[in-house]
Every structure is written in C-alpha cells, then in structure tokens.
C-alpha cells in the first residue's frame, strides 16, 4: 500500500501548501504522539529544526499537537538532524522530530521522525501514523496535557558527542579548515567542534536569516567553498547541507570530493585497523563503478541498495555493515550514529588525513571514477518503463555495456521523471547509450 504523506525521507513540500501547513504539522504531532504513547510513563519528544523561516510556524504547530495528546516536548532549536537522533536516544525520549527540508531551498520544509532508538521510522510506523492523521485522535484530559520546555545545553551535548568520535591520540593542530554550514542547522556546532579539536577554522555559510539556507552555499553549491579553500590556503574544505546529515569535501587544490571517495577513504582506513565490519560497505545503485572496483582490489565488497539513505541503513543493520552511504554525501557510520552525520563523517576523514601527513588531494583521491552520465526524462502520465520499445532499448543498452559498465533506470519517487544513468569505461559509448534509452522513453511518454 502506497504511503500518502511520507516520502523516502519524511514529509516534505512547499510551506503553506498541502501537506506542509501548520494544520498538517499539528495533526502529525497528534498522530505521532498518540502512536508512540506506549506504557504508563510520562512521554517525551525531542524537536529540533534547521534555520528556515517556516521552522517557527511548524515547530509551534507540532508542540500544540504533541502536548494536546499528553506528550511533553523538549525543544532544542536549530540543530543537525543527526543531533536530534542522538538526543532522542540519549535523553530517553519516546521519539524525535527534525523540522527540515535538508538541501531544498528555504521555501520548502519537512518533518522527519525518529523512534526512541534514534532510527528513522519503519514503513509500518509511517503507515500507522498516516492512518491516524486522517482519522480521529483521542485528546488528553486537561490534567494530562503535555508541557514544553527548551534545553539550552543541547548544542554542547552534540559538540561533546561529535568530538568523542575523533581518535583520542590525534588533534587537528596545524590544520586550516574551511567549513561551509549552508546557513543551516550546523552553523554553530560544526565550527565550534572543529576549533575545539585544534583546527584553525574559516567559517562560511554561518549567517542564517531564515531565507538564505542552501542559497549559493553548502554541499549542493560548493563553488564558494572551493574558492575560499584556495584563497585562504586551507588544507581542506567541508561543506554540509541544510540539516547537516550529508557533506562533500574540497581538497587543497579546490577539487570537490564526493561521497564515493569519502566512503572509500573511511573503509580503507577502518579495514587496515580491523574496524570495518561486514568486509565492505553499503552504497546505492548510483555509486560509481570505480568505487566497486577499488574496493574489490582491496578484497572488500560493495553492496548496493535502492536510492535513499534509509535503504542503505536497513541493509547495514540487517547484514552487519558499519560503513555506508550515498554518492551525494550521506555517510552513515553506525558505530557512532543512527543516521547520516556530516560532521562525524568529516572527522573520520580528517583522522585519515592527520595519520597520513599527506595532502588531501592524495589521501582523498582513492580511485578514478568511470564516466557517468545521468539524464532525466519528464513524462505526463502512464508507465513508460512498461512500454515494449523502451524495454527493448534497455535490454540492448545493458547488453552493450555488459562487462564494461552499468545501466540504472528508475522512476523518481518525488516527481514525474524517469532517471537514466549509465557508466562505463568509454565516455562516448556511455553517452550514446543514455541518449538512446532517453529517446525511447520520450517517444513512449509522448
């Protein structure tokens, strides 16, 4: 059964338009609060947010929803998504909420929910909450209405946690690091943690005004970081997204380092020290074939999942892996966190950099990525991937790339778009294959 409100990462949309309205946020609070009201103890939810203007509106609406069903609320203000997950678990809350639309522009917002274990909700939990959103939720009697309070030391708790993941025998002394916080949730905690570990920190994207989150800064717009790293002579640049659950890095030459290279760097180092669980790592079908070949040369496996960090985490948990992520920079290190954590992942990469003593351009370039092309074909309706001509084009493309590359075709889960991705040893062949499949999809969708 398809979910009505929840997508691959919570509920998301343009604010003040369905479903991202104050009224819906209150209903989500009521439904989620009622769903997690288990046992006779006083129930509690941790609510964090990024720096979007609409965060105030949605936060207050969710407080009303949760307290109306008898749940106490702990407000931690602007905090990274992984910090909310960590605080939910460490404060023994019954659930956690992050109000954020991640890397989207400020006009969008979203609601991410975590269970008491700090993990994102299962499909079953989301379906149960959706059913309650559209139904009637019993309100608490007047004497059992919840209370709301702000915790002022939440930032300090997360900074302490993040620093604890960095090896005790190492420091960042002597390193100049540029950190771009996307004018988002980590604008205070990330520069502070890096500075306290000894780095000289140049901070950009740390002046949020409610409307400038991800605007020309952050992991989806790394040009500012690239220029700043080169101009300041920094050894490394770190760019987080709006809710700081993913990152990309920039080496001292201004070159962007994506999630595939970062996963390879961490996995190589952990494997050498006997810390890598499962004999490999988990990534999605979008990760470059170069990563897979690199790992194989080290005697390590690459396990692929569908696109979405939740699917990566599910595989990690079910099969015993402790490193996983996405090419886009969601890096999940389950020894430390229950979700992607850009700051914690950057600290593990920095540990490898410090140990090696070599420049980032050498340490972080683990393999040469194969030519990879992704094109989108928009369609108005129907199921073009079920068309016979499209199936034949896909089969022919797969046969042509067999042994020399990969073809990944999928329908977007958020918009009427077919995504066609291919990679292989020959750039011209890859582009020709993608173009032929896209043309077949366009004709079928016409």
């Amino acid at each position: 059964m398809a979910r009505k409100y929840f997508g691959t990462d919570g509920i998301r949309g343009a604010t003040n338009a369905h479903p991202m309205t104050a009224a819906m946020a209150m209903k989500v609070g009521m439904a989620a609060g009622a769903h997690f009201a288990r046992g006779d103890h006083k129930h509690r939810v941790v609510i964090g947010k990024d720096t979007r203007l609409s965060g105030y509106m949605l936060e207050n609406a969710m407080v009303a929803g949760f307290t109306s069903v008898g749940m106490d609320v702990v407000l931690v203000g602007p905090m990274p998504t992984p910090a909310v997950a960590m605080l939910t678990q460490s404060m023994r809350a019954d659930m956690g909420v992050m109000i954020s639309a991640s890397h989207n522009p400020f006009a969008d917002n979203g609601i991410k929910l975590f269970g008491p274990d700090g993990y994102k909700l299962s499909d079953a939990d989301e379906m149960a909450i959706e059913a309650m959103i559209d139904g009637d939720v019993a309100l608490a009697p007047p004497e059992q209405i919840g209370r709301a309070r702000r915790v002022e030391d939440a930032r300090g708790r997360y900074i302490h946690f993040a620093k604890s993941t960095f090896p005790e025998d190492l420091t960042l002394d002597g390193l100049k690091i540029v950190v771009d916080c996307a004018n988002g949730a980590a604008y205070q905690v990330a520069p502070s943690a890096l500075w306290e570990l000894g780095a000289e920190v140049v901070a950009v994207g740390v002046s949020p005004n409610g409307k400038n989150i991800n605007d020309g800064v952050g992991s989806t717009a790394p040009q500012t970081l690239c220029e700043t790293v080169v101009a300041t002579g920094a050894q490394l640049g770190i760019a987080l997204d709006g809710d700081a659950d993913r990152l990309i890095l920039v080496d001292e030459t201004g070159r962007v380092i994506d999630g595939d290279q970062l996963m390879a760097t961490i996995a190589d180092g952990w494997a050498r020290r006997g810390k890598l669980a499962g004999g490999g790592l988990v990534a999605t079908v979008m990760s470059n074939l170069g990563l897979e070949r690199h790992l194989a040369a080290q005697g390590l496996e690459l396990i692929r999942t569908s696109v979405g960090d939740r699917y990566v985490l599910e595989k990690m948990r079910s099969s015993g892996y402790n490193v996983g992520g996405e090419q886009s920079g969601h890096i999940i290190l389950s020894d430390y966190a229950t979700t992607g954590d850009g700051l914690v992942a950057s600290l593990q990469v920095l540990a490898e950099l410090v140990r090696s003593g070599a420049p980032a351009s050498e340490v972080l370039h683990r393999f040469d990525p194969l030519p990879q092309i992704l094109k989108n074909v928009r369609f108005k309706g129907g199921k073009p991937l079920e068309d016979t001509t499209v199936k034949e084009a896909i089969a022919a493309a797969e046969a042509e790339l067999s042994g020399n590359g990969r073809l990944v075709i999928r329908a977007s889960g958020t918009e009427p778009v077919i995504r066609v991705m291919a990679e292989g040893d020959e750039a011209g062949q890859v582009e020709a294959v993608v173009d032929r499949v896209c043309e077949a999809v366009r004709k079928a969708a016409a």
Side-chain angles (χ1 to χ4, degrees):
M1 187 177 190
R3 289 171 294 180
K4 184 176 179 181
Y5 302 116
F6 286 91
T8 55
D9 196 15
I11 304 172
R12 190 178 298 186
T15 49
N16 274 347
H18 186 76
M20 201 45 54
T21 63
M24 175 59 75
M26 185 171 71
K27 288 182 180 179
V28 172
M30 294 169 65
H35 179 69
F36 280 95
R38 303 162 183 176
D40 56 5
H41 64 282
K42 187 62 176 177
H43 296 85
R44 179 164 59 174
V45 56
V46 175
I47 300 181
K49 61 181 180 180
D50 64 23
T51 56
R52 293 164 208 272
L53 181 62
S54 56
Y56 295 98
M57 174 184 76
L58 298 175
E59 178 185 60
N60 287 329
M62 296 203 78
V63 169
F66 282 117
T67 55
S68 73
V69 297
M71 186 171 274
D72 287 345
V73 177
V74 177
L75 298 167
V76 299
M79 290 286 284
T81 288
V84 173
M86 183 274 291
L87 290 166
T88 298
Q89 188 177 30
S90 68
M91 297 179 73
R92 296 183 66 186
D94 296 276
M95 65 173 302
V97 176
M98 180 64 182
I99 301 171
S100 173
S102 189
H103 57 279
N104 288 27
F106 92 94
D108 293 345
N109 216 329
I111 298 171
K112 302 180 183 183
L113 302 179
F114 296 92
D117 56 1
Y119 286 97
K120 292 178 182 178
L121 302 190
S122 66
D123 289 347
D125 279 326
E126 290 182 348
M127 292 292 287
I129 291 170
E130 283 198 352
M132 297 174 77
I133 289 172
D134 289 333
D136 293 324
V137 177
L139 301 179
E143 68 275 10
Q144 293 180 17
I145 290 173
R147 300 174 183 270
R149 64 185 177 93
R150 292 196 175 272
V151 174
E152 299 301 331
D153 68 338
R155 286 198 300 272
R157 293 190 189 201
Y158 176 67
I159 290 171
H160 175 76
F161 156 75
K163 288 167 57 183
S164 75
T165 68
F166 191 71
E168 291 184 358
D169 60 325
L170 302 178
T171 75
L172 299 180
D173 292 351
L175 283 181
K176 179 184 285 189
I177 300 171
V178 181
V179 58
D180 178 352
C181 299
N183 291 317
Y187 78 100
Q188 294 174 314
V189 295
S192 295
L194 293 167
W195 182 83
E196 291 179 18
L197 286 169
E200 178 184 348
V201 177
V202 178
V204 297
V206 290
S207 301
N209 61 16
K211 300 179 181 180
N212 61 358
I213 187 170
N214 302 313
D215 186 7
V217 288
S219 62
T220 54
Q223 188 59 37
T224 297
L225 178 63
C226 295
E227 294 171 354
T228 306
V229 166
V230 173
T232 60
Q235 281 83 35
L236 190 72
I238 301 169
L240 305 171
D241 68 341
D243 67 335
D245 66 351
R246 74 180 190 180
L247 80 159
I248 59 99
L249 298 187
V250 170
D251 68 24
E252 79 282 1
T253 71
R255 182 179 182 180
V256 172
I257 311 296
D258 69 10
D260 284 348
Q261 298 282 0
L262 301 182
M263 286 187 284
T265 300
I266 295 170
D268 287 353
W270 284 20
R272 284 196 306 273
R273 287 184 294 281
K275 187 178 176 180
L276 185 68
L281 61 84
V282 181
T284 76
V285 293
M286 300 306 289
S287 279
N288 196 276
L289 185 57
L291 172 61
E292 187 171 344
R293 292 177 177 177
H294 167 79
L295 293 172
Q298 316 300 315
L300 303 174
E301 282 188 297
L302 175 64
I303 308 301
R304 294 185 184 272
T305 72
S306 300
V307 174
D309 63 316
R310 65 182 294 165
Y311 303 114
V312 171
L313 183 57
E314 286 173 4
K315 185 62 179 179
M316 291 173 64
R317 296 181 74 184
S318 66
S319 301
Y321 294 86
N322 62 351
V323 176
E326 296 185 282
Q327 189 182 66
S328 62
H330 279 115
I331 310 294
I332 304 172
L333 306 175
S334 59
D335 287 358
Y336 304 121
T338 57
T339 187
D341 191 321
L343 177 57
V344 168
S346 71
L347 291 177
Q348 292 304 305
V349 175
L350 279 163
E352 296 300 320
L353 196 63
V354 171
R355 285 191 177 102
S356 73
S361 56
E362 294 180 18
V363 176
L364 305 184
H365 186 76
R366 295 285 161 154
F367 62 90
D368 292 327
L370 272 65
Q372 187 181 81
I373 294 177
L374 170 66
K375 293 187 178 182
N376 298 324
V377 182
R378 190 167 293 274
F379 63 98
K380 295 182 179 179
K383 297 180 179 180
L385 292 183
E386 296 182 6
D387 183 85
T388 301
T389 304
V390 173
K391 290 181 178 180
E392 290 173 351
I394 292 172
E398 289 175 335
E400 184 174 342
L401 290 172
S402 179
N404 299 308
R406 295 189 308 129
L407 180 69
V408 178
I409 300 174
R410 64 185 183 92
S412 168
T414 58
E415 55 183 331
V417 164
I418 302 297
R419 306 194 192 282
V420 181
M421 188 277 282
E423 61 182 354
D425 294 311
E426 298 294 332
Q429 181 187 43
V430 170
E431 186 165 13
V433 162
V434 169
D435 286 344
R436 285 198 297 272
V437 174
C438 285
E439 183 60 25
V441 174
R442 286 191 192 95
K443 290 181 178 178

